[in-house]
């Protein structure tokens, strides 16, 4: 995924509620999770199967996906595989919800790109803990990518004069002393930018207080 694509994807203010997509073909399962997550302050959308989930993701991308494994049509594994194959949405965290207890099935979910899994019947405390943890990780990742995007723009601004001066040189022509000094100053400024550490974003205290 390019820095620009990541920067524009799900760029939200810290006070906006996270958006969660629930994908399950059993209405009762959706109802329980929907009501619970709404009371926790999240925005929740639903999809009854993988095909509808892909459509929702395209038109209204969530911040996190709770994805059932066993569904009609394309199952959860294939749905996750298709999400991760699209570079625009590949970094969306997917948590599988499964009644499967086989380690191989759980491993398959991780191999196709899921970040975690929840065993059915779901426990609300477990759902909340995993959702909060992976949303925090996802938003930290997005903030770091946004900072990289800003740094990349600053570096391009510093490089433009250097590139322009070099492009104006004729074959065999040498830089003057003044031009060399100017380039050295630009190179020093560029080095300072590259050596500057990226500041880590502060924890989302509002979410922590809400989920606690």
């Amino acid at each position: 995924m390019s820095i620009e694509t990541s920067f524009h994807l799900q760029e939200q203010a810290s006070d906006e509620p996270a958006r969660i997509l629930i994908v399950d073909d059993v209405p009762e399962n959706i109802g329980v999770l929907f009501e619970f997550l709404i009371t926790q302050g999240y925005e929740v959308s639903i999809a009854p199967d993988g095909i509808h989930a892909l459509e929702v993701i395209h038109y209204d991308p969530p911040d996190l996906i709770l994805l059932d494994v066993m569904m009609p049509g394309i199952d959860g594994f294939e749905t996750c595989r298709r999400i991760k194959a699209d570079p625009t949405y590949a970094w969306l965290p997917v948590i599988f919800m499964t009644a499967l207890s086989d380690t191989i099935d759980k491993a398959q979910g991780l191999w196709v790109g899921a970040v975690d899994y929840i065993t059915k019947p779901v426990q609300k405390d477990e759902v909340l803990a995993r959702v909060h943890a992976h949303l925090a990780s996802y938003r930290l990742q997005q903030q770091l990518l946004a900072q990289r995007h800003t740094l990349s723009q600053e570096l391009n601004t510093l490089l433009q004069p250097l590139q322009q001066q070099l492009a104006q040189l004729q074959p065999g022509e040498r830089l003057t002393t003044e031009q060399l000094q100017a380039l050295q100053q630009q190179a020093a400024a560029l080095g300072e930018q590259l050596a500057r550490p990226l500041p880590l974003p502060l924890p989302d205290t509002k979410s922590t207080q809400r989920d606690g």
Side-chain angles (χ1 to χ4, degrees), residues 59-89:
Y59 290 107
D60 186 22
D63 295 306
L64 181 140
I65 303 167
L66 293 174
L67 179 60
D68 187 27
V69 172
M70 304 301 293
M71 296 185 296
I74 61 173
D75 62 15
F77 296 135
E78 178 59 24
T79 302
C80 184
R81 187 178 293 108
R82 295 189 188 186
I83 294 170
K84 298 301 178 177
D86 188 329
T88 304
Y89 310 113

Side-chain angles (χ1 to χ4, degrees), residues 10-210:
Q10 298 300 320
E11 183 65 15
Q12 294 181 317
S14 59
D15 58 347
E16 291 184 0
R19 294 179 292 182
I20 299 175
L21 171 62
I22 303 172
V23 188
D24 199 318
D25 62 311
V26 180
E28 291 78 8
N29 294 341
I30 290 181
V32 171
L33 283 174
F34 181 89
E35 293 180 5
F36 173 65
L37 292 172
I38 286 291
T39 63
Q40 298 301 313
Y42 296 108
E43 290 185 4
V44 183
S45 56
I46 61 176
D49 54 51
I51 294 299
H52 285 88
L54 296 173
E55 294 176 354
V56 172
I57 292 168
H58 178 73
Y59 290 107
D60 186 22
D63 295 306
L64 181 140
I65 303 167
L66 293 174
L67 179 60
D68 187 27
V69 172
M70 304 301 293
M71 296 185 296
I74 61 173
D75 62 15
F77 296 135
E78 178 59 24
T79 302
C80 184
R81 187 178 293 108
R82 295 189 188 186
I83 294 170
K84 298 301 178 177
D86 188 329
T88 304
Y89 310 113
W91 286 22
L92 289 177
V94 176
I95 300 177
F96 273 126
M97 301 182 295
T98 177
L100 302 175
S101 58
D102 195 326
T103 302
I104 296 177
D105 292 316
K106 293 177 180 178
Q108 183 179 354
L110 298 176
W111 275 112
V112 298
V115 296
D116 209 343
Y117 66 87
I118 297 170
T119 302
K120 291 183 175 182
V122 298
Q123 303 297 317
K124 292 180 180 179
D125 288 344
E126 179 186 10
V127 171
L128 190 61
R130 294 184 188 276
V131 164
H132 175 72
H134 290 294
L135 279 174
S137 176
Y138 173 72
R139 285 190 162 177
L140 173 62
Q141 183 183 65
Q142 293 302 301
Q143 291 177 57
L144 290 175
L145 286 170
Q147 291 171 358
R148 284 184 56 194
H149 175 80
T150 300
L151 178 59
S152 176
Q153 289 182 322
E154 293 175 355
L155 294 180
N156 287 335
T157 300
L158 288 172
L159 284 172
Q160 283 178 357
L162 173 61
Q163 293 171 339
Q164 291 172 354
Q165 291 187 43
L166 293 176
Q168 292 172 357
L169 288 177
Q170 301 297 323
E173 183 180 0
R174 295 183 178 180
L175 294 173
T176 65
T177 301
E178 292 77 10
Q179 288 175 322
L180 285 172
Q181 291 176 344
L183 289 177
Q184 289 174 349
Q185 293 175 354
Q186 293 171 4
L190 182 61
E192 291 178 0
Q193 290 284 354
L194 291 173
R196 186 180 66 188
L198 290 176
L200 288 175
L202 295 175
D204 185 354
T205 54
K206 292 182 181 179
S207 295
T208 302
Q209 293 170 356
R210 178 193 64 206

